[in-house]
Amino acid sequence: MAFEPNPPVDPPRPGGVGAARAPAGVPRHVAIIMDGNGRWAATRRLPRSAGHRAGIRPVRMSVEECAKRGVEVLTLFAFSSENWRRPPQEVGLLMQLFLEAIEREVDELSRNGVELRFIGERGSLAEELRLRMANAEARTRGNRGLKLVVAVAYGGRWDLVQAARRLARECADGRLAPEAIDEARIGAALALGDLPEPDLFIRTGGDRRVSNFLLWNLAYTELCFVDALWPEFSAEHLGAAFASFAARQRRFGMTGEQVEAGPC
Ligand code: FPP
């Protein structure tokens, strides 16, 4: 697959960190909960593992489409802190899939300028997977195209706990005064602290909840729920989510009139 280059640079818009590169009306950061693999398999009388394997195609499609449209960051929820509760066989299969996918895709992602990053509690993962993640990150570091963030063993509550611990250590060491802790410092201590906040959240599979994904970061994100199961998720579904996003007025607490008048 060959991605088209990112479109030209655009002036900064609210809701993120740093200068925006995505074209106007295009989300800078898209975050996706890929749900419905198990149900997709069950309706075909296939094992759940077949659903997870079928989930690879829409991952590729989403990466390609987001790069083509000028999205800067795509974050995919691949395995939650709570997914450890699944049967060991399914957890093992998912870990194997992640290993294979990293091995198979990293060169092509890198050739297409994608920078890969993993977020989540790495200490809970097998050493082999941790090593491959670190290698894939090292191989793609500094690439200037789409940033692809894969959340593995990730939970929004875990993220807040690790940020609180980090700030508490700084206070205990005397490097930070408790009074200096504000929203910006908490945001910066989170796993995505250096990236713009998600503009568009998509969840497939029909359920309307955020399931412990990016709890802090989703405060002002536009939510889009899609009934299609993840293996069925297509470029058309993604296009419809982008169109819905472009049609929404984001007010960030202001009035519609203020937003229409533009920055003063
Ligand atoms: C949720 O569907 C899906 C997952 C827990 C795994 C997602 C993994 C993939 C799409 C595989 C490839 C991913 C990468 C990044 C290489 P579910 O099992 O909860 O479905 P259900 O709600 O129908 O049971």
Side-chain angles (χ1 to χ4, degrees):
M1 83 190 146
F3 303 157
E4 286 169 31
N6 277 319
V9 173
D10 207 44
R13 280 173 288 132
V17 177
R21 201 179 59 189
V26 171
R28 292 181 70 185
H29 184 168
V30 178
I32 306 184
I33 296 188
M34 310 177 287
D35 196 18
N37 294 348
R39 280 166 284 162
W40 181 90
T43 55
R44 286 160 181 77
R45 297 182 189 279
L46 294 169
R48 291 178 62 83
S49 57
H52 295 313
R53 290 193 185 282
I56 301 271
R57 183 203 55 78
V59 169
R60 280 209 199 98
M61 179 282 292
S62 300
V63 172
E64 278 185 54
E65 279 296 313
C66 284
K68 205 160 78 181
R69 290 169 181 267
V71 170
E72 294 166 42
V73 186
L74 171 64
T75 300
L76 300 175
F77 204 7
F79 191 87
S80 74
S81 311
E82 291 72 31
N83 285 152
W84 291 114
R85 299 176 186 152
R86 293 193 173 199
Q89 206 191 355
E90 182 170 343
V91 171
L93 177 278
L94 281 166
M95 295 298 150
Q96 187 57 36
L97 259 188
F98 300 147
L99 271 176
E100 289 171 15
I102 294 171
E103 206 56 17
R104 201 179 45 237
E105 309 287 345
V106 71
D107 284 335
E108 190 163 7
L109 288 171
S110 193
R111 269 197 302 278
N112 284 292
V114 174
E115 186 180 66
L116 189 58
R117 187 194 292 194
F118 296 93
I119 57 168
E121 195 174 4
R122 291 193 198 206
S124 64
L125 301 172
E127 193 183 357
E128 191 188 1
L129 183 54
R130 291 205 309 260
L131 282 173
R132 289 213 206 164
M133 285 173 162
N135 284 340
E137 287 175 328
R139 265 155 78 180
T140 60
R141 189 163 297 133
N143 284 351
R144 298 180 61 82
L146 179 76
K147 285 189 202 308
L148 173 60
V149 181
V150 183
V152 180
Y154 175 86
R157 289 180 176 176
W158 164 84
D159 202 355
L160 281 161
V161 168
Q162 65 85 27
R165 284 188 186 151
R166 195 180 291 184
L167 294 173
R169 269 195 300 271
E170 288 185 31
C171 289
D173 293 348
R175 288 178 286 135
L176 181 66
E179 300 72 35
I181 296 176
D182 56 11
E183 291 189 13
R185 277 195 198 268
I186 294 176
L190 294 167
L192 297 182
D194 59 328
L195 298 176
E197 300 287 20
D199 299 297
L200 174 63
F201 161 99
I202 302 171
R203 181 183 185 135
T204 62
D207 286 327
R208 279 143 176 79
R209 52 180 174 252
V210 296
S211 298
N212 199 17
F213 190 35
L214 301 174
L215 294 180
W216 175 280
N217 318 68
L218 293 176
Y220 271 100
T221 303
E222 295 298 325
L223 307 181
C224 186
F225 296 97
V226 179
D227 286 335
L229 304 172
W230 179 249
E232 303 164 342
F233 188 65
S234 65
E236 287 67 39
H237 291 117
L238 191 59
F242 275 79
S244 163
F245 174 82
R248 298 184 195 187
Q249 185 188 54
R250 304 184 76 193
R251 291 191 288 280
F252 299 101
M254 293 181 283
T255 66
E257 291 73 22
Q258 284 177 300
V259 173
E260 276 159 28
C264 36

